[in-house]
Amino acid sequence: MQVHKINIHIPELSLILLIGNDDLKTSFAHRHFTSSEIVSLSACQDLLATEATKELDELLHFVVSKRLQLGKLTVINAPCETQALRSALVRLARRQHVPCAAIVLPSVQGPYQQKLPHQEGFKQVYILQHVEALEQVIIHRQPLESNMKQEKGPFDIIGDVHGCFAELEQLVLNLGYNITLEDQYYLSHPQGRKLVFVGDLVDRGPKVPEVLRFVMDTAAQGMSFCVNGNHDDKLKRALEGRAVTISHGLEESLAQLEKESSYFKDKVINFLAALPSHYLFDEGRLAIAHAGVKEKYLERSSRRIRDYCMYGETTGATDEFGHPVRANWAKRFVSLTTVVYGHTPILTPEWENNTINIDTGCVFGGKLTALRYPERELVSVTALKKYYTPLKPIQS
Ligand code: MN
């Protein structure tokens, strides 16, 4: 008889809920996870010497919360049979920006199979239909999407491109890369360097599709990386047909992409949708985020982290141009991790607390800048022209 393995992929840092009868949960947990990864209700009962549900729940939640904060994979062997119990744990994981997955063991029949999935906020739900299936399960642990710690560079990190392909090509050549264009772009560097983009590839500039083609091709070859910028996110939503305000140079992107094939546009949507909020490279020594990041967000993911990385920190006030006033997150950033970002055009990049903004406003007639890492040297090319007028003057 053919044996079908059942592969379950879980993020290496996640909260795992087991749903099923107590005996099955206990044997499944100990078979697939180490005892230091399992938090059980019975352990809480032993510690508190009580059966009082409220106290036990409080302890369990405290322990789970602390573990996730410390970055430890946690498997719950405790009652999760009601939606109220499950959603309390899903919320707890969300507060620590950690994904939550459910594994439904075969003792639970019928009702869960239809009701559990995504609406309860689980990142993944695995349903094991039959008891025989338990024998075939293999758990795979996957790195979180921002974890590129094994990529050690050297890198050339490039600021907001905004469709300025001519300047991008010149900068990349000046950095010593070879670019060839056949059926697609190919990139190589004699010293094995790779490119990292801080996001905002699109909008305002003259050659948005060409920038996308270059970054998509070289990313697929493992020669470049890109994080999600607010303009990339908005273009993706517009291409998906969602209702967005067409402003701030989105009109240029849409007009230029109109001339491209639907195959290319679909490829762009998929590429933009997969951009992570941030990346962590070089054993955690280097982080790239579009507008900024907090140390406690590094490597994790959630809606809140996505928004923070795209827009940075704001004070809640608006300026005389109707823009949200940006707070200087970098001033308070204390970490051993170097953060390179863009988003806010400036005249000259300057280091602040191990962070540096390298958006030198190329599309506004400034420069396109790269930071060489680990050398920490800046290399720039001057814009060929002013493609777009900024709404407010660029800060010095
Ligand atoms: Mn930008």
Side-chain angles (χ1 to χ4, degrees):
M1 199 183 102
Q2 206 182 346
V3 178
H4 293 284
K5 293 289 174 207
I6 299 170
N7 295 303
I8 294 186
H9 298 268
I10 58 164
E12 64 188 358
L13 171 56
S14 53
L15 180 62
I16 311 290
L17 269 60
L18 299 180
I19 298 164
N21 82 32
D22 290 346
D23 291 346
L24 267 186
K25 278 196 294 199
T26 303
S27 67
F28 187 89
H30 286 280
R31 181 166 176 165
H32 296 287
F33 300 94
T34 67
S35 51
S36 63
E37 291 172 329
I38 303 165
V39 174
S40 70
L41 186 70
S42 62
C44 295
Q45 283 166 340
D46 290 349
L47 283 169
L48 293 184
T50 180
E51 298 287 323
T53 316
K54 184 171 171 290
E55 277 68 25
L56 290 172
D57 269 355
E58 281 173 9
L59 178 60
L60 184 96
H61 285 196
F62 179 80
V63 171
V64 169
S65 183
K66 213 25 115 181
R67 288 180 56 92
L68 297 180
Q69 194 187 339
L70 292 169
K72 297 187 188 299
L73 177 101
T74 299
V75 179
I76 298 198
N77 182 10
C80 298
E81 275 41 64
T82 68
Q83 187 174 346
L85 289 168
R86 291 193 295 271
S87 53
L89 291 162
V90 168
R91 279 199 304 274
L92 203 148
R94 190 173 291 153
R95 274 199 290 278
Q96 299 298 333
H97 313 286
V98 166
C100 190
I103 301 176
V104 184
L105 301 176
S107 57
V108 180
Q109 290 302 337
Y112 288 115
Q113 300 188 11
Q114 301 309 321
K115 284 186 195 160
L116 252 192
H118 305 283
Q119 64 264 36
E120 281 191 20
F122 289 107
K123 173 106 174 161
Q124 296 147 321
V125 176
Y126 286 96
I127 297 170
L128 300 171
Q129 305 276 6
H130 309 289
V131 180
E132 305 81 69
L134 289 176
E135 301 294 314
Q136 314 306 336
V137 169
I138 303 173
I139 306 263
H140 303 270
R141 297 171 188 225
Q142 295 187 308
L144 300 168
E145 66 167 357
S146 293
N147 178 357
M148 284 287 166
K149 286 190 267 192
Q150 79 290 357
E151 286 278 350
K152 296 185 180 129
F155 300 113
D156 296 297
I157 307 151
I158 298 181
D160 300 37
V161 181
H162 286 299
C164 295
F165 185 73
E167 291 83 351
L168 172 61
E169 191 176 27
Q170 191 56 58
L171 178 62
V172 171
L173 292 173
N174 291 356
L175 289 163
Y177 291 82
N178 302 307
I179 304 173
T180 52
L181 175 58
E182 292 163 29
D183 53 327
Q184 55 176 294
Y185 281 103
Y186 292 95
L187 187 67
S188 62
H189 193 287
Q191 275 89 49
R193 303 183 72 90
K194 293 183 179 186
L195 297 177
V196 184
F197 292 90
V198 303
D200 275 8
L201 300 175
V202 304
D203 291 359
R204 297 184 175 130
K207 290 189 172 173
V208 169
E210 213 52 27
V211 170
L212 285 166
R213 194 169 279 121
F214 178 82
V215 180
M216 290 193 297
D217 289 348
T218 56
Q221 294 150 22
M223 280 300 296
S224 73
F225 302 90
C226 183
V227 299
N228 179 47
N230 53 310
H231 284 265
D232 310 312
D233 179 71
K234 200 172 174 194
L235 173 63
K236 183 209 74 183
R237 286 186 282 132
L239 291 174
E240 286 171 336
R242 311 244 296 269
V244 298
T245 311
I246 298 177
S247 60
H248 304 301
L250 176 58
E251 56 279 15
E252 275 80 10
S253 292
L254 293 175
Q256 292 167 32
L257 284 164
E258 203 43 55
K259 302 177 188 105
E260 300 289 332
S261 67
S262 58
Y263 170 80
F264 183 79
K265 280 182 270 190
D266 284 344
K267 202 172 146 184
V268 169
I269 293 174
N270 292 333
F271 174 76
L272 297 179
L275 296 179
S277 62
H278 67 285
Y279 268 132
L280 202 55
F281 292 108
D282 192 17
E283 303 294 348
R285 283 186 277 264
L286 172 67
I288 311 295
H290 178 62
V293 72
K294 290 186 185 185
E295 181 164 49
K296 69 174 183 178
Y297 290 170
L298 292 173
E299 213 183 326
R300 301 188 182 216
S301 63
S302 66
R303 183 74 238 176
R304 177 172 296 201
I305 293 180
R306 203 167 173 77
D307 286 346
Y308 189 96
C309 290
M310 264 196 289
Y311 302 105
E313 215 163 274
T314 51
T315 64
T318 44
D319 65 12
E320 71 265 40
F321 304 96
H323 282 186
V325 175
R326 292 170 183 183
N328 188 1
W329 64 275
K331 202 172 220 153
R332 283 169 285 110
F333 185 83
V334 182
S335 174
L336 293 173
T337 302
T338 297
V339 179
V340 185
Y341 66 105
H343 187 57
T344 306
I346 44 149
L347 292 175
T348 314
E350 272 168 38
W351 286 96
E352 182 166 23
N353 286 332
N354 211 10
T355 77
I356 191 166
N357 173 2
I358 57 166
D359 177 12
T360 42
C362 184
V363 77
F364 302 118
K367 291 173 179 173
L368 186 63
T369 295
L371 176 77
R372 290 160 59 85
Y373 177 94
E375 298 86 349
R376 296 185 177 231
E377 296 160 10
L378 294 165
V379 179
S380 298
V381 295
T382 302
L384 297 174
K385 59 181 276 198
K386 184 177 184 173
Y387 300 99
Y388 207 87
T389 305
L391 278 179
K392 54 184 173 185
I394 290 175
Q395 308 161 15
S396 53

